[in-house]
Amino acid sequence: VEEGWFHGGHEGPPCSTWSSVLFAPGGPKAVRDRQHPWGLPDLSPGDYLRLQGGTWLLLVAFAIAEGLILTAATNSLEHSKDRGCEPFPAMWITPELLELEKIVHPERKLPSKRVDFHQCMFGGPAKKGTTVLTNCRSTEEFEEAQCNHARGGHPAMLEGKFQGKFRTTSAQFYPQRMNEALARMHLSEMLSDTRKRPMREIAKRTPLQKKLIDLYPWAQEERSKTKGELAQTGRTPSKMM
């Protein structure tokens, strides 16, 4: 990314540790709140591991986004829409996100902007208020994707289990029409860029990437030790580990 190999990219860090559903009874407990977006104090070992996994993936997404913007590439970052009230946490109010939002390539000068929309308008199984931060200019499809369904027109997705899985699981995946809209948004901007890639000069390490290293200096060395920790949350390590 730092060498400018990519014309554009999209980040969709998991919202499983940020979701407002975690404050409802009958499911996993909340590990963040609005006053503690990076983690509640006194979490159990299993909940702490869940928190750290979500935080790590989010910060990696921030670093990739920053690298793309600084190499004049297109970028979009998606996450759940901020509910704007206590006790619900939101990625969108963190200092790290606000810092990322200000970054602009010195030559291409594509400022990032937020667009709120509802995934049901792209064929999603629930209304699901969503925000995308992007430096692409053609965002009309998302701006127009505002729910116009009648009250009660969405299935009850947010509570309980079905076939052993929480009903929110199906809402973790983008609707196909939303994927296509993201592709069109990026492609329209990419076609206006005539820069040769990769870039001749390699970018310096960015502030957010440095923060990743400061927060997780031994990430590579400790990766092989996480199998037992994953067992605490009932998950199994992937084949990549």
Side-chain angles (χ1 to χ4, degrees):
V1 172
E2 287 182 328
E3 293 177 8
W5 280 93
F6 296 93
H7 288 276
H10 174 80
E11 307 84 37
C15 59
S16 55
T17 61
W18 297 83
S19 175
S20 59
V21 179
L22 296 175
F23 292 87
K29 65 178 292 187
V31 294
R32 317 173 191 269
D33 65 16
R34 201 165 188 83
Q35 299 303 317
H36 304 88
W38 298 116
L40 292 167
D42 303 321
L43 293 172
S44 69
D47 286 336
Y48 182 73
L49 176 63
R50 186 158 55 93
L51 166 74
Q52 289 294 85
T55 295
W56 172 248
L57 292 172
L58 181 64
L59 291 175
V60 168
F62 283 1
I64 292 173
E66 186 178 53
L68 287 168
I69 295 169
L70 289 175
T71 53
T74 62
N75 181 71
S76 58
L77 170 65
E78 173 273 330
H79 215 241
S80 299
K81 183 180 177 181
D82 180 14
R83 296 190 64 169
C85 61
E86 299 284 356
F88 307 113
M91 173 199 83
W92 302 106
I93 63 174
T94 61
E96 289 78 6
L97 187 282
L98 298 176
E99 176 187 339
L100 173 65
E101 205 167 21
K102 298 175 183 176
I103 299 173
V104 179
H105 187 269
E107 295 178 7
R108 201 170 185 192
K109 299 185 185 304
L110 293 176
S112 295
K113 65 176 180 179
R114 301 186 195 186
V115 180
D116 298 331
F117 64 96
H118 296 114
Q119 291 194 26
C120 62
M121 300 304 289
F122 292 107
K127 184 176 181 179
K128 196 171 183 181
T130 305
T131 300
V132 64
L133 175 71
T134 182
N135 64 353
C136 297
R137 288 171 287 189
S138 300
T139 58
E140 295 84 2
E141 285 190 78
F142 293 94
E143 293 169 5
E144 295 171 359
Q146 308 301 318
C147 179
N148 57 10
H149 299 118
R151 185 177 180 84
H154 303 101
M157 294 279 305
L158 300 180
E159 295 183 4
K161 287 186 175 182
F162 177 71
Q163 295 183 345
K165 294 184 178 180
F166 287 102
R167 293 180 185 273
T168 51
T169 301
S170 62
Q172 294 177 358
F173 304 99
Y174 292 167
Q176 180 61 29
R177 283 160 48 195
M178 178 176 158
N179 288 328
E180 294 168 357
L182 283 168
R184 284 190 291 269
M185 180 181 74
H186 278 269
L187 186 59
S188 65
E189 200 67 63
M190 289 177 186
L191 293 175
S192 68
D193 185 22
T194 58
R195 292 174 179 79
K196 293 184 178 180
R197 296 179 182 273
M199 302 296 189
R200 183 174 299 176
E201 296 181 2
I202 298 176
K204 296 180 180 179
R205 178 167 286 133
T206 60
L208 282 172
Q209 290 168 333
K210 183 178 184 302
K211 182 166 186 175
L212 285 179
I213 295 171
D214 292 341
L215 285 173
Y216 298 91
W218 310 109
Q220 292 297 324
E221 290 81 352
E222 292 185 351
R223 196 174 183 200
S224 61
K225 303 177 185 178
T226 60
K227 293 184 179 181
E229 295 175 329
L230 285 170
Q232 295 181 37
T233 61
R235 296 173 58 196
T236 55
S238 71
K239 294 180 181 180
M240 297 297 292
M241 297 190 66

